Amino acid sequence: MVGTPKLDRIDISILSTLQQQGNITNVNLAEAVGLSPSPCLQRVKRLEKAGYIQNYRAVINLKKLAEHVTVFTEVTLADHRRKDFVKFENEIKNHENVVECHLLSGGYDYLLKFVARGVTQYQEIMEELLERNLGIDKYFSYIVIKPVAEKHAVPIHDLVNRD
């Protein structure tokens, strides 16, 4: 990409640290990556401006907040024209209970992750989506019994090291 800065090992360390600890102070981040605070802040601002850092957020412990259910749903569309995918995606990405939606290759078109108050609410959501005529041919639901591993960080060092 034109205008995108080349990342060095310190930039990678900054990104890795920030995804693990989004609320770390600049002083502590600088210490963690081996810089003084001012150059560290300059690098963070450069990474934000270049789009490497999209946002900062808190990860909420839903078990403490409220009873809920997580459901993974495989969706197959009836037709596979570009306009069918665009229509479905435009509607689904704005649905409050859809926390992830992925277009896939293979046996079905999309994998969605829903969070709802319970199975009843999830079923109401699905019925409403079907009534909206989004082109859904069939769907299969998988209710999560227990999350075994949930990571909110990706292995940045592993992805960028080309050795």
Side-chain angles (χ1 to χ4, degrees):
M1 287 186 350
V2 177
T4 301
K6 184 160 174 60
L7 302 180
D8 62 17
R9 67 173 181 75
I10 294 175
D11 293 325
I12 300 301
S13 291
I14 288 171
L15 292 173
S16 183
T17 303
L18 284 174
Q19 77 169 349
Q20 296 285 342
Q21 305 171 56
N23 66 343
I24 191 171
T25 66
N26 183 59
V27 171
N28 290 340
L29 177 61
E31 185 179 312
V33 300
L35 288 176
S36 59
S38 182
C40 183
L41 184 58
Q42 289 174 351
R43 282 182 181 247
V44 170
K45 295 295 183 194
R46 181 174 52 89
L47 291 167
E48 289 172 347
K49 185 175 181 183
Y52 288 104
I53 300 170
Q54 290 182 324
N55 62 41
Y56 299 87
R57 63 177 169 217
V59 178
I60 307 301
N61 182 347
L62 287 180
K63 287 189 288 189
K64 287 186 96 46
L65 186 64
E67 287 291 321
H68 69 285
V69 64
T70 301
V71 182
F72 287 94
T73 305
E74 298 173 359
V75 172
T76 302
L77 298 183
D79 293 307
H80 291 93
R81 297 173 302 223
R82 185 177 189 286
K83 70 176 188 169
D84 299 310
F85 288 98
V86 169
K87 178 180 179 182
F88 179 82
E89 290 173 15
N90 284 338
E91 292 291 325
I92 211 70
K93 69 184 172 187
N94 294 317
H95 198 288
E96 182 175 47
N97 295 85
V98 176
V99 295
E100 291 183 34
C101 176
H102 304 274
L103 175 63
L104 305 175
S105 64
Y108 51 94
D109 299 318
Y110 292 95
L111 179 64
L112 284 71
K113 181 179 178 183
F114 288 87
V115 175
R117 287 187 308 274
V119 175
T120 301
Q121 185 195 24
Y122 166 74
Q123 189 56 39
E124 290 169 357
I125 292 166
M126 288 309 302
E127 289 169 3
E128 182 257 330
L129 289 174
L130 291 169
E131 288 172 6
R132 286 172 58 193
N133 223 1
L134 301 179
I136 298 172
D137 181 40
K138 58 186 171 190
Y139 71 96
F140 296 94
S141 305
Y142 303 91
I143 298 170
V144 173
I145 303 300
K146 173 180 84 170
V148 176
E150 286 184 304
K151 298 178 182 177
H152 301 283
V154 297
I156 291 177
H157 289 286
D158 186 52
L159 293 173
V160 298
N161 284 338
R162 292 165 180 86
D163 299 333

